[in-house]
Amino acid sequence: MFLKSREYVRRYRAFLQRLREARHEASLTQVEVARKLSRPQSFISKCESGERRVDVVELAEFARLYGKPLSFFMG
């Protein structure tokens, strides 16, 4: 099944790296992002670490905040 494949895991890890990279390039801390999204800092941390999955609506909000197209995160 695709969801358990090594390729999926590799691609999701790369996505998480791009998520963190986009925040750093926007010169924002996790606390600043959390405030702008009206979420706790732990939400941002869990999204970036993979502890919590990011859905497409949330990804669109991150992309808007970071000034990146959605394609940036898809690599």
Coordinates of all heavy atoms in Angstrom, one line a residue:
M1 N 0.8 -1.2 0.0 CA 0.0 0.0 0.0 C 0.9 1.3 0.0 O 1.9 1.3 0.7 CB -0.9 0.0 1.2 CG -1.9 1.1 1.3 SD -2.9 0.9 2.7 CE -4.0 2.2 2.5
F2 N 0.5 2.2 -0.8 CA 1.3 3.5 -0.9 C 1.6 4.2 0.4 O 2.7 4.7 0.7 CB 0.6 4.4 -1.9 CG 1.4 5.7 -2.1 CD1 2.5 5.7 -2.9 CD2 1.0 6.9 -1.6 CE1 3.3 6.8 -3.0 CE2 1.7 8.0 -1.7 CZ 2.8 8.0 -2.5
L3 N 0.6 4.2 1.3 CA 0.7 5.0 2.5 C 1.8 4.5 3.4 O 2.4 5.2 4.2 CB -0.6 5.0 3.3 CG -1.7 5.8 2.7 CD1 -3.0 5.6 3.5 CD2 -1.4 7.2 2.5
K4 N 2.2 3.2 3.3 CA 3.2 2.7 4.1 C 4.6 2.5 3.4 O 5.5 1.9 3.9 CB 2.8 1.3 4.7 CG 1.6 1.5 5.6 CD 1.2 0.2 6.2 CE 0.0 0.4 7.1 NZ -0.4 -0.9 7.8
S5 N 4.6 2.9 2.1 CA 5.8 2.7 1.4 C 7.0 3.6 1.8 O 6.8 4.7 2.4 CB 5.6 3.0 -0.1 OG 5.5 4.3 -0.4
R6 N 8.2 3.1 1.6 CA 9.4 3.9 1.9 C 9.4 5.2 1.1 O 9.8 6.2 1.6 CB 10.6 3.1 1.6 CG 10.8 2.0 2.6 CD 12.1 1.3 2.3 NE 12.3 0.2 3.2 CZ 12.9 -0.9 2.9 NH1 13.5 -1.1 1.8 NH2 13.0 -1.9 3.8
E7 N 8.9 5.1 -0.1 CA 8.8 6.3 -1.0 C 7.9 7.4 -0.4 O 8.2 8.6 -0.3 CB 8.4 6.0 -2.4 CG 8.3 7.2 -3.3 CD 9.6 7.9 -3.6 OE1 10.7 7.3 -3.3 OE2 9.6 9.0 -4.2
Y8 N 6.8 7.0 0.2 CA 5.9 7.9 0.8 C 6.6 8.6 2.0 O 6.5 9.8 2.2 CB 4.6 7.2 1.3 CG 3.7 8.1 2.0 CD1 2.7 8.8 1.3 CD2 3.7 8.2 3.4 CE1 1.8 9.7 2.0 CE2 2.9 9.1 4.1 CZ 1.9 9.8 3.4 OH 1.1 10.6 4.0
V9 N 7.2 7.8 2.8 CA 7.9 8.3 4.0 C 9.0 9.3 3.6 O 9.1 10.4 4.1 CB 8.5 7.2 4.9 CG1 9.4 7.7 6.0 CG2 7.4 6.3 5.4
R10 N 9.8 8.9 2.6 CA 10.8 9.8 2.1 C 10.2 11.2 1.6 O 10.7 12.2 1.9 CB 11.6 9.2 0.9 CG 12.8 10.0 0.4 CD 13.3 9.5 -0.9 NE 12.4 9.7 -2.0 CZ 12.1 10.8 -2.6 NH1 12.6 11.9 -2.2 NH2 11.2 10.8 -3.6
R11 N 9.1 11.1 0.8 CA 8.5 12.3 0.3 C 7.9 13.1 1.4 O 8.0 14.4 1.3 CB 7.5 11.9 -0.8 CG 8.1 11.3 -2.0 CD 7.2 10.8 -3.0 NE 6.3 11.9 -3.5 CZ 5.2 11.7 -4.3 NH1 4.9 10.5 -4.6 NH2 4.5 12.8 -4.7
Y12 N 7.3 12.5 2.4 CA 6.7 13.3 3.5 C 7.8 14.0 4.3 O 7.6 15.1 4.7 CB 5.8 12.4 4.4 CG 4.8 13.3 5.1 CD1 3.7 13.8 4.5 CD2 5.1 13.7 6.5 CE1 2.8 14.7 5.2 CE2 4.2 14.5 7.2 CZ 3.1 15.0 6.5 OH 2.2 15.8 7.2
R13 N 8.9 13.3 4.5 CA 10.0 13.9 5.2 C 10.5 15.1 4.4 O 10.9 16.2 5.0 CB 11.1 12.9 5.5 CG 10.8 12.0 6.6 CD 12.0 11.1 6.9 NE 11.6 10.1 7.9 CZ 12.1 8.9 8.0 NH1 13.0 8.5 7.2 NH2 11.7 8.1 9.0
A14 N 10.6 15.0 3.1 CA 11.1 16.1 2.3 C 10.1 17.3 2.4 O 10.5 18.5 2.4 CB 11.2 15.7 0.8
F15 N 8.8 17.0 2.4 CA 7.8 18.0 2.6 C 7.9 18.7 3.9 O 7.9 20.0 4.0 CB 6.4 17.4 2.5 CG 5.3 18.2 3.1 CD1 4.8 19.3 2.5 CD2 4.8 17.9 4.4 CE1 3.9 20.2 3.0 CE2 3.8 18.7 4.9 CZ 3.3 19.8 4.3
L16 N 8.2 18.0 5.0 CA 8.4 18.6 6.3 C 9.6 19.5 6.3 O 9.6 20.6 6.9 CB 8.5 17.6 7.4 CG 7.3 16.7 7.6 CD1 7.7 15.6 8.7 CD2 6.1 17.5 8.1
Q17 N 10.7 19.1 5.6 CA 11.8 20.0 5.5 C 11.5 21.3 4.7 O 11.9 22.4 5.2 CB 13.0 19.2 4.7 CG 14.2 20.0 4.5 CD 14.9 20.5 5.8 OE1 14.9 19.8 6.8 NE2 15.4 21.7 5.8
R18 N 10.7 21.2 3.7 CA 10.3 22.4 2.9 C 9.4 23.3 3.8 O 9.5 24.5 3.7 CB 9.7 22.0 1.6 CG 10.7 21.5 0.6 CD 10.1 21.3 -0.8 NE 9.1 20.2 -0.8 CZ 9.4 18.9 -1.0 NH1 10.6 18.5 -1.1 NH2 8.4 18.0 -1.0
L19 N 8.6 22.7 4.6 CA 7.7 23.5 5.5 C 8.5 24.3 6.4 O 8.3 25.5 6.6 CB 6.7 22.5 6.2 CG 5.6 23.1 7.0 CD1 4.7 23.9 6.2 CD2 4.9 22.1 7.8
R20 N 9.5 23.7 7.0 CA 10.4 24.4 8.0 C 11.2 25.5 7.2 O 11.4 26.6 7.7 CB 11.4 23.4 8.7 CG 10.7 22.6 9.7 CD 11.6 21.7 10.5 NE 12.4 20.8 9.7 CZ 11.9 19.5 9.4 NH1 10.8 19.1 9.9 NH2 12.7 18.7 8.6
E21 N 11.7 25.1 6.0 CA 12.5 26.0 5.2 C 11.7 27.2 4.8 O 12.3 28.3 4.9 CB 13.0 25.2 4.0 CG 13.8 26.0 3.0 CD 14.1 25.2 1.7 OE1 14.3 24.0 1.8 OE2 14.2 25.8 0.7
A22 N 10.5 27.0 4.5 CA 9.7 28.2 4.1 C 9.5 29.1 5.3 O 9.5 30.4 5.1 CB 8.3 27.7 3.6
R23 N 9.3 28.6 6.4 CA 9.1 29.5 7.6 C 10.4 30.2 7.9 O 10.4 31.4 8.1 CB 8.8 28.6 8.9 CG 8.6 29.5 10.1 CD 8.1 28.7 11.3 NE 8.9 27.6 11.7 CZ 10.1 27.6 12.3 NH1 10.6 28.8 12.7 NH2 10.8 26.5 12.6
H24 N 11.6 29.6 7.8 CA 12.9 30.2 8.0 C 13.1 31.3 6.9 O 13.5 32.4 7.3 CB 14.0 29.2 8.0 CG 14.0 28.3 9.2 ND1 14.3 28.7 10.4 CD2 13.8 27.0 9.3 CE1 14.2 27.7 11.3 NE2 13.9 26.7 10.6
E25 N 12.8 31.0 5.7 CA 12.9 32.0 4.6 C 12.0 33.2 4.8 O 12.3 34.3 4.4 CB 12.7 31.4 3.2 CG 13.8 30.4 2.9 CD 13.6 29.7 1.5 OE1 12.6 30.0 0.8 OE2 14.5 28.9 1.1
A26 N 10.9 33.0 5.5 CA 10.0 34.1 5.8 C 10.4 34.8 7.0 O 9.7 35.8 7.4 CB 8.5 33.6 5.9
S27 N 11.5 34.4 7.6 CA 12.0 35.0 8.9 C 11.0 35.1 10.0 O 10.9 36.1 10.7 CB 12.6 36.4 8.6 OG 13.6 36.4 7.6
L28 N 10.3 33.9 10.2 CA 9.3 33.8 11.2 C 9.7 32.7 12.2 O 10.2 31.7 11.8 CB 7.9 33.5 10.6 CG 7.3 34.6 9.7 CD1 6.1 34.1 9.0 CD2 6.9 35.8 10.6
T29 N 9.4 32.9 13.4 CA 9.5 31.9 14.4 C 8.2 31.1 14.5 O 7.2 31.5 14.0 CB 9.8 32.4 15.8 OG1 8.7 33.2 16.3 CG2 11.1 33.4 15.8
Q30 N 8.3 29.9 15.1 CA 7.1 29.1 15.3 C 6.1 29.9 16.1 O 4.9 29.9 15.9 CB 7.4 27.8 16.1 CG 8.1 26.8 15.2 CD 8.3 25.5 15.9 OE1 8.0 25.3 17.1 NE2 8.8 24.5 15.1
V31 N 6.5 30.7 17.1 CA 5.6 31.5 17.9 C 4.9 32.5 17.1 O 3.7 32.8 17.2 CB 6.4 32.2 19.1 CG1 5.5 33.2 19.8 CG2 6.9 31.1 20.1
E32 N 5.6 33.2 16.2 CA 5.0 34.2 15.3 C 4.0 33.6 14.4 O 2.9 34.2 14.2 CB 6.1 34.9 14.5 CG 7.0 35.8 15.4 CD 8.3 36.3 14.7 OE1 8.8 35.6 13.8 OE2 8.7 37.4 15.0
V33 N 4.3 32.5 13.8 CA 3.4 31.8 12.9 C 2.1 31.4 13.7 O 1.0 31.6 13.2 CB 4.0 30.5 12.3 CG1 3.0 29.7 11.5 CG2 5.2 31.0 11.4
A34 N 2.3 30.8 14.9 CA 1.2 30.4 15.7 C 0.3 31.6 16.0 O -1.0 31.5 15.9 CB 1.7 29.8 17.0
R35 N 0.8 32.7 16.3 CA 0.0 33.9 16.6 C -0.8 34.4 15.3 O -1.9 34.7 15.4 CB 0.9 35.1 17.1 CG 1.4 34.9 18.5 CD 2.1 36.2 18.9 NE 2.7 35.9 20.3 CZ 3.9 36.3 20.7 NH1 4.7 37.0 19.9 NH2 4.3 36.0 21.9
K36 N -0.1 34.4 14.2 CA -0.7 34.8 13.0 C -1.9 33.8 12.5 O -2.8 34.3 11.9 CB 0.3 34.9 11.8 CG 1.2 36.1 12.0 CD 2.3 36.1 10.9 CE 3.3 37.2 11.2 NZ 2.8 38.6 11.0
L37 N -1.7 32.6 12.9 CA -2.7 31.6 12.6 C -3.7 31.3 13.7 O -4.6 30.4 13.6 CB -2.1 30.3 12.1 CG -1.2 30.3 10.9 CD1 -0.6 29.0 10.6 CD2 -2.0 30.8 9.7
S38 N -3.6 32.0 14.8 CA -4.4 31.8 16.0 C -4.4 30.4 16.5 O -5.4 29.8 16.7 CB -5.8 32.3 15.7 OG -5.9 33.7 15.4
R39 N -3.2 29.9 16.5 CA -3.0 28.5 17.0 C -1.9 28.5 18.1 O -1.1 29.4 18.1 CB -2.5 27.6 15.8 CG -3.5 27.4 14.7 CD -4.7 26.6 15.2 NE -5.5 26.2 14.1 CZ -5.7 24.9 13.8 NH1 -5.1 23.9 14.5 NH2 -6.4 24.5 12.8
P40 N -1.8 27.4 18.9 CA -0.7 27.3 19.8 C 0.6 27.0 19.1 O 0.6 26.4 18.0 CB -1.1 26.2 20.8 CG -2.2 25.4 20.0 CD -2.8 26.4 19.0
Q41 N 1.7 27.4 19.7 CA 3.0 27.1 19.1 C 3.2 25.6 18.9 O 3.8 25.2 18.0 CB 4.1 27.7 20.0 CG 5.5 27.4 19.5 CD 6.1 26.1 20.0 OE1 5.7 25.7 21.1 NE2 6.9 25.5 19.3
S42 N 2.6 24.8 19.8 CA 2.8 23.4 19.8 C 2.2 22.8 18.5 O 2.6 21.8 17.9 CB 2.2 22.7 21.0 OG 0.8 23.0 21.1
F43 N 1.1 23.5 17.9 CA 0.5 23.1 16.7 C 1.5 23.2 15.5 O 1.7 22.2 14.7 CB -0.7 23.9 16.4 CG -1.3 23.7 15.0 CD1 -2.1 22.7 14.7 CD2 -0.9 24.6 14.0 CE1 -2.7 22.5 13.5 CE2 -1.4 24.4 12.7 CZ -2.3 23.4 12.4
I44 N 2.3 24.3 15.5 CA 3.3 24.5 14.5 C 4.4 23.5 14.6 O 4.8 22.9 13.6 CB 3.8 25.9 14.5 CG1 2.7 27.0 14.5 CG2 4.8 26.2 13.4 CD1 1.7 26.9 13.4
S45 N 4.8 23.3 15.8 CA 5.9 22.3 16.1 C 5.5 20.9 15.7 O 6.3 20.2 15.0 CB 6.2 22.3 17.6 OG 7.2 21.3 17.9
K46 N 4.3 20.5 16.0 CA 3.8 19.2 15.6 C 3.7 19.0 14.1 O 4.0 17.9 13.6 CB 2.5 18.8 16.3 CG 2.7 18.6 17.8 CD 1.4 18.4 18.5 CE 1.6 18.2 20.0 NZ 0.4 18.1 20.8
C47 N 3.2 20.0 13.4 CA 3.1 20.0 12.0 C 4.5 19.8 11.4 O 4.7 19.0 10.5 CB 2.5 21.3 11.4 SG 0.7 21.4 11.8
E48 N 5.5 20.6 11.8 CA 6.8 20.6 11.3 C 7.6 19.3 11.6 O 8.5 18.9 10.8 CB 7.6 21.8 11.8 CG 7.2 23.1 11.2 CD 8.0 24.3 11.5 OE1 9.0 24.1 12.3 OE2 7.7 25.4 11.1
S49 N 7.3 18.7 12.7 CA 8.0 17.4 13.1 C 7.3 16.2 12.5 O 7.9 15.1 12.5 CB 8.0 17.3 14.6 OG 6.7 17.0 15.1
G50 N 6.1 16.3 12.0 CA 5.4 15.2 11.4 C 4.6 14.5 12.5 O 3.9 13.5 12.1
E51 N 4.6 15.0 13.7 CA 3.7 14.4 14.7 C 2.3 14.6 14.4 O 1.4 13.8 14.8 CB 4.0 15.0 16.1 CG 3.3 14.4 17.2 CD 3.7 15.0 18.6 OE1 4.8 15.6 18.7 OE2 2.9 14.9 19.5
R52 N 1.9 15.6 13.7 CA 0.6 15.9 13.2 C 0.6 16.1 11.7 O 1.5 16.8 11.2 CB 0.1 17.2 13.9 CG -1.3 17.5 13.6 CD -1.7 18.9 14.1 NE -3.1 19.2 13.7 CZ -3.6 19.4 12.5 NH1 -2.7 19.4 11.5 NH2 -4.8 19.6 12.3
R53 N -0.3 15.5 11.0 CA -0.4 15.6 9.5 C -0.9 17.0 9.2 O -1.8 17.5 9.9 CB -1.2 14.6 8.9 CG -0.7 13.2 9.1 CD 0.4 12.9 8.1 NE 0.9 11.6 8.3 CZ 1.9 11.2 7.6 NH1 2.5 11.9 6.7 NH2 2.4 10.0 7.8
V54 N -0.5 17.6 8.1 CA -0.9 18.9 7.6 C -1.9 18.6 6.5 O -1.6 17.9 5.5 CB 0.3 19.7 7.0 CG1 -0.2 21.0 6.5 CG2 1.3 19.9 8.1
D55 N -3.1 19.1 6.6 CA -4.1 18.9 5.5 C -4.0 20.0 4.5 O -3.3 21.0 4.7 CB -5.5 18.7 6.1 CG -6.2 20.0 6.6 OD1 -5.9 21.1 6.1 OD2 -7.1 19.9 7.4
V56 N -4.7 19.9 3.4 CA -4.5 20.8 2.3 C -5.0 22.3 2.6 O -4.3 23.2 2.2 CB -5.2 20.3 1.0 CG1 -6.7 20.3 1.2 CG2 -4.8 21.1 -0.2
V57 N -6.0 22.4 3.5 CA -6.4 23.7 3.9 C -5.4 24.4 4.7 O -5.1 25.6 4.6 CB -7.8 23.7 4.6 CG1 -8.2 25.0 5.1 CG2 -8.9 23.1 3.7
E58 N -4.8 23.7 5.6 CA -3.7 24.2 6.5 C -2.5 24.5 5.7 O -1.9 25.6 5.9 CB -3.4 23.2 7.6 CG -4.5 23.0 8.6 CD -4.3 21.7 9.4 OE1 -3.6 20.8 9.0 OE2 -5.0 21.6 10.4
L59 N -2.2 23.7 4.7 CA -1.0 23.9 3.8 C -1.2 25.2 3.1 O -0.3 26.0 2.9 CB -0.8 22.8 2.9 CG 0.4 22.9 2.0 CD1 1.7 23.2 2.7 CD2 0.6 21.7 1.0
A60 N -2.4 25.5 2.6 CA -2.7 26.7 1.9 C -2.5 27.9 2.8 O -2.0 29.0 2.3 CB -4.1 26.7 1.3
E61 N -2.8 27.8 4.0 CA -2.6 28.9 5.0 C -1.1 29.1 5.2 O -0.6 30.3 5.3 CB -3.3 28.6 6.3 CG -4.8 28.9 6.2 CD -5.1 30.4 5.9 OE1 -4.6 31.3 6.7 OE2 -5.8 30.6 4.9
F62 N -0.4 28.0 5.4 CA 1.1 28.2 5.6 C 1.7 28.8 4.3 O 2.5 29.7 4.4 CB 1.7 26.8 5.8 CG 1.6 26.2 7.2 CD1 1.0 25.0 7.4 CD2 2.0 26.9 8.3 CE1 0.9 24.4 8.6 CE2 1.9 26.4 9.6 CZ 1.3 25.2 9.7
A63 N 1.3 28.4 3.2 CA 1.8 28.9 1.9 C 1.6 30.4 1.8 O 2.4 31.2 1.4 CB 1.2 28.1 0.7
R64 N 0.3 30.8 2.1 CA 0.0 32.2 2.0 C 0.8 33.0 3.0 O 1.4 34.1 2.6 CB -1.5 32.4 2.4 CG -2.0 33.9 2.4 CD -3.3 34.0 3.0 NE -3.4 33.5 4.4 CZ -2.9 34.2 5.5 NH1 -2.3 35.4 5.3 NH2 -3.0 33.7 6.7
L65 N 1.0 32.6 4.2 CA 1.7 33.3 5.2 C 3.2 33.4 4.9 O 3.8 34.4 5.1 CB 1.5 32.5 6.6 CG 2.2 33.2 7.8 CD1 1.7 34.6 8.1 CD2 2.0 32.3 9.0
Y66 N 3.7 32.3 4.3 CA 5.2 32.3 3.9 C 5.5 32.9 2.5 O 6.6 32.9 2.2 CB 5.7 30.8 4.0 CG 5.6 30.2 5.3 CD1 5.5 28.8 5.4 CD2 5.5 30.9 6.5 CE1 5.4 28.2 6.7 CE2 5.4 30.3 7.7 CZ 5.3 28.9 7.8 OH 5.2 28.3 9.0
G67 N 4.4 33.2 1.8 CA 4.6 33.8 0.5 C 5.2 32.8 -0.5 O 6.0 33.2 -1.4
K68 N 4.7 31.6 -0.4 CA 5.2 30.5 -1.3 C 4.0 29.9 -2.1 O 2.9 29.8 -1.5 CB 5.8 29.4 -0.5 CG 7.0 29.7 0.3 CD 8.2 29.9 -0.6 CE 9.5 30.1 0.3 NZ 10.6 30.5 -0.6
P69 N 4.3 29.5 -3.3 CA 3.2 28.7 -4.0 C 3.1 27.3 -3.4 O 4.0 26.8 -2.9 CB 3.7 28.7 -5.5 CG 5.2 28.8 -5.3 CD 5.5 29.6 -4.1
L70 N 1.9 26.7 -3.6 CA 1.7 25.4 -3.1 C 2.7 24.4 -3.7 O 3.2 23.5 -3.0 CB 0.3 24.9 -3.4 CG -0.8 25.5 -2.5 CD1 -2.1 25.0 -2.9 CD2 -0.6 25.1 -1.0
S71 N 3.1 24.7 -4.9 CA 4.1 23.8 -5.6 C 5.4 23.7 -4.9 O 6.1 22.7 -5.0 CB 4.3 24.2 -7.1 OG 4.8 25.5 -7.1
F72 N 5.8 24.8 -4.1 CA 7.0 24.8 -3.4 C 7.1 23.6 -2.4 O 8.2 23.0 -2.2 CB 7.2 26.1 -2.6 CG 8.4 26.1 -1.7 CD1 9.6 26.5 -2.1 CD2 8.2 25.8 -0.3 CE1 10.7 26.5 -1.3 CE2 9.3 25.8 0.5 CZ 10.5 26.1 0.1
F73 N 6.0 23.2 -1.8 CA 6.0 22.2 -0.8 C 5.9 20.8 -1.4 O 6.1 19.8 -0.7 CB 4.8 22.4 0.1 CG 4.8 23.8 0.8 CD1 4.2 24.9 0.3 CD2 5.6 23.9 1.9 CE1 4.2 26.1 0.9 CE2 5.7 25.2 2.6 CZ 5.0 26.3 2.0
M74 N 5.6 20.7 -2.7 CA 5.4 19.4 -3.3 C 6.7 18.8 -3.9 O 6.8 17.6 -4.1 CB 4.4 19.5 -4.5 CG 3.0 19.9 -4.0 SD 2.8 19.1 -2.5 CE 1.3 19.2 -1.9
G75 N 7.7 19.6 -4.1 CA 9.0 19.1 -4.6 C 8.9 18.1 -5.6 O 9.3 17.2 -6.0

